[in-house]
Amino acid sequence: AQSVTQLDSHVSVSEGTPVLLRCNYSSSYSPSLFWYVQHPNKGLQLLLKYTSAATLVKGINGFEAEFKKSETSFHLTKPSAHMSDAAEYFCVVSAFGSSNTGKLIFGQGTTLQVKP
Amino acid sequence: SQTIHQWPATLVQPVGSPLSLECTVEGTSNPNLYWYRQAAGRGLQLLFYSVGIGQISSEVPQNLSASRPQDRQFILSSKKLLLSDSGFYLCAWSVSSPLHFGNGTRLTVT
């Protein structure tokens, strides 16, 4: 069965410092993995996706994530946090090896706080 | 380009009242459509998905139903709302990877 665990429910960083949001997954298949961002009372926006191509995936707004099969991890990073990065972040794994059915398994989310 | 519209943005309804949330997609044909619910402080839970007109799959037993009367229209309904139906409801679509979400409806059942 597929599952995803976001290791931190809340992360606080200062503006201009690096961001690390941790995610571990479990999948019986070669997974498709995603990171989404959600600003308050808004829908989810796709940051980046991994679908068995390059293991280092670059996304929007300067974010990137590295797929590490040996560690079953897909951590999200950004070299320098901006105030506008403050939001909820979700790590997502596709169920059944397919990203086309919408059977996505969402992590519980990590709230990123950016301090001035 | 494709867009997804979801309304209303917020809704306050009394217990026992009916519900109808609507979602439409523009700029694509035969999309897969989804309804997710996000309870306070929790992740997203898939409620329904549809791969075509009239085809609805339910992921969890609940007080809600879904319908797809047209290719790009997806409706979430309830005959009688419960307090536990409160939450943030998100519609999404996909043709292939990934999912694209609407802005959500904040439902409060009082």
Side-chain angles (χ1 to χ4, degrees):
Chain A
Q2 285 73 25
S3 67
V4 61
T5 302
Q6 291 183 243
L7 299 171
D8 307 293
S9 60
H10 188 273
V11 170
S12 181
V13 302
S14 298
E15 188 176 21
T17 63
V19 175
L20 170 64
L21 305 183
R22 298 183 295 166
C23 173
N24 285 107
Y25 70 91
S26 173
S27 176
S28 303
Y29 302 83
S30 296
S32 293
L33 294 158
F34 310 82
W35 276 99
Y36 281 85
V37 61
Q38 183 181 30
H39 289 90
N41 292 310
K42 295 293 185 183
L44 278 72
Q45 180 184 21
L46 180 69
L47 281 177
L48 49 80
K49 65 178 180 178
Y50 166 78
T51 54
S52 74
T55 56
L56 182 61
V57 181
K58 294 188 182 297
I60 62 172
N61 300 336
F63 285 94
E64 61 182 37
E66 185 172 9
F67 173 71
K68 291 187 177 180
K69 186 175 181 179
S70 61
E71 299 177 9
T72 61
S73 69
F74 190 57
H75 301 334
L76 181 70
T77 60
K78 182 173 181 177
S80 177
H82 191 273
M83 294 299 292
S84 61
D85 294 327
E88 188 86 7
Y89 291 80
F90 292 96
C91 183
V92 183
V93 63
S94 64
F96 310 114
S98 168
S99 58
N100 193 31
T101 63
K103 292 190 180 221
L104 301 182
I105 309 299
F106 282 77
Q108 291 300 304
T110 298
T111 301
L112 176 63
Q113 179 187 24
V114 182
K115 297 177 290 185
Chain B
S1 64
Q2 301 90 354
T3 56
I4 179 169
H5 302 280
Q6 190 179 339
W7 68 93
T10 59
L11 188 61
V12 180
Q13 292 282 102
V15 168
S17 64
L19 173 73
S20 180
L21 302 181
E22 189 162 342
C23 172
T24 59
V25 179
E26 297 177 356
T28 186
S29 296
N30 196 32
N32 295 330
L33 296 172
Y34 314 91
W35 279 110
Y36 281 84
R37 177 169 59 199
Q38 184 177 30
R42 301 179 66 181
L44 276 74
Q45 180 185 39
L46 178 63
L47 301 177
F48 300 96
Y49 72 94
S50 171
V51 298
I53 296 174
Q55 301 178 61
I56 309 295
S57 295
S58 175
E59 289 297 297
V60 293
Q62 58 203 314
N63 185 41
L64 302 169
S65 62
S67 61
R68 185 171 178 174
Q70 300 180 43
D71 180 47
R72 290 169 289 178
Q73 183 185 28
F74 206 24
I75 298 172
L76 183 69
S77 304
S78 174
K79 293 182 178 178
K80 290 185 178 182
L81 283 169
L82 305 173
L83 286 174
S84 58
D85 292 323
S86 294
F88 193 51
Y89 289 82
L90 289 156
C91 181
W93 70 271
S94 71
V95 170
S96 58
S97 173
L99 287 184
H100 304 274
F101 287 86
N103 282 328
T105 295
R106 173 72 59 191
L107 172 66
T108 303
V109 182
T110 60

